Amino acid sequence: MTTIRLTTYQQLQPFIENGQVIGWHWCRHEIENYLLEPLIVQSAFPNIDGAHYQIQLRTAAYHIRFYEAARWIIGIAKRSLPPHYDLQTRPCEFNKKEIAIFKDCSEKSTYTWLQDSMGYFYSRTSKIFFPELISADYHSFKDQFNQDFCQEIEKVLLWFSGKDLLAAMNAWCLDNC
């Protein structure tokens, strides 16, 4: 179950119309732009030892790896939640009409609509918060973010939050930048 949950979404997929790629969708809950890429850091700060900077980046990644695993689980859950307006107070077919009610407003008909609406919303939200899934998914990310992973700067920059890496390197940045 965990593997399915973590791999069923595609991080990058094209939008295709009439056989032509017209755009791309990248499934990330947040995109950041920080000065972290080693070659750019060296260009911006020529006095910084590039090898020493890369050691600091790897050390920071290793230090925050469990925190990053937890953030990924929360991000995946957040992305899976329906927006607040998906729990409608009126049937969907009424949304385009300001003044409308059921033809049958009996208790049975109304209660059936209530159960169906709430049940659908609940089914979309409840599964992502099962403690067993959270634990299994966290362990999957924790295992992925191991020492070898944290040595590969490209992976670190792709999978870890830039602001978290900067926070982990705060003292070094203040002393060296």
Side-chain angles (χ1 to χ4, degrees):
M1 184 80 154
T2 302
T3 305
I4 293 170
R5 182 172 174 199
L6 296 177
T7 60
T8 53
Y9 64 91
Q10 292 183 354
Q11 286 207 354
L12 192 62
Q13 68 186 65
F15 291 106
I16 299 175
E17 186 174 288
N18 298 327
Q20 295 281 350
V21 175
I22 59 171
W24 295 89
H25 170 78
W26 195 13
C27 194
R28 296 290 291 248
H29 60 272
E30 196 173 276
I31 295 177
E32 303 168 323
N33 186 10
Y34 295 100
L35 182 64
L36 290 168
E37 209 289 324
L39 291 177
I40 296 173
V41 169
Q42 284 183 270
S43 295
F45 301 98
N47 295 334
I48 290 180
D49 177 0
H52 188 62
Y53 168 74
Q54 289 184 32
I55 290 169
Q56 293 303 310
L57 188 59
R58 290 180 180 111
T59 301
Y62 190 72
H63 175 72
I64 66 172
R65 69 193 186 280
F66 302 128
Y67 178 66
E68 293 303 303
R71 287 197 63 198
W72 267 96
I73 300 310
I74 292 169
I76 290 170
K78 185 176 177 182
R79 185 173 61 232
S80 301
L81 288 173
H84 68 281
Y85 56 82
D86 275 1
L87 180 57
Q88 301 294 327
T89 59
R90 298 171 43 149
C92 293
E93 62 267 21
F94 293 170
N95 287 340
K96 298 202 185 324
K97 302 174 189 171
E98 194 59 34
I99 300 175
I101 58 171
F102 287 122
K103 289 185 193 236
D104 179 4
C105 285
S106 67
E107 180 183 0
K108 181 180 179 187
S109 176
T110 304
Y111 191 66
T112 299
W113 166 70
L114 170 65
Q115 287 182 310
D116 290 347
S117 295
M118 297 295 283
Y120 175 70
F121 190 86
Y122 177 76
S123 71
R124 292 182 64 195
T125 59
S126 65
K127 294 175 196 159
I128 59 177
F129 296 110
F130 285 154
E132 296 81 13
L133 278 178
I134 291 169
S135 177
D137 288 351
Y138 171 76
H139 283 20
S140 292
F141 274 109
K142 179 184 69 99
D143 292 345
Q144 178 181 340
F145 297 161
N146 60 27
Q147 186 167 2
D148 290 338
F149 181 97
C150 292
Q151 293 301 308
E152 295 186 46
I153 290 176
E154 295 81 15
K155 288 181 178 179
V156 167
L157 294 177
L158 178 64
W159 286 88
F160 285 18
S161 165
K163 63 182 147 214
D164 296 343
L165 289 166
L166 282 174
M169 297 190 318
N170 185 45
W172 182 87
C173 288
L174 290 173
D175 290 342
N176 292 279
C177 297

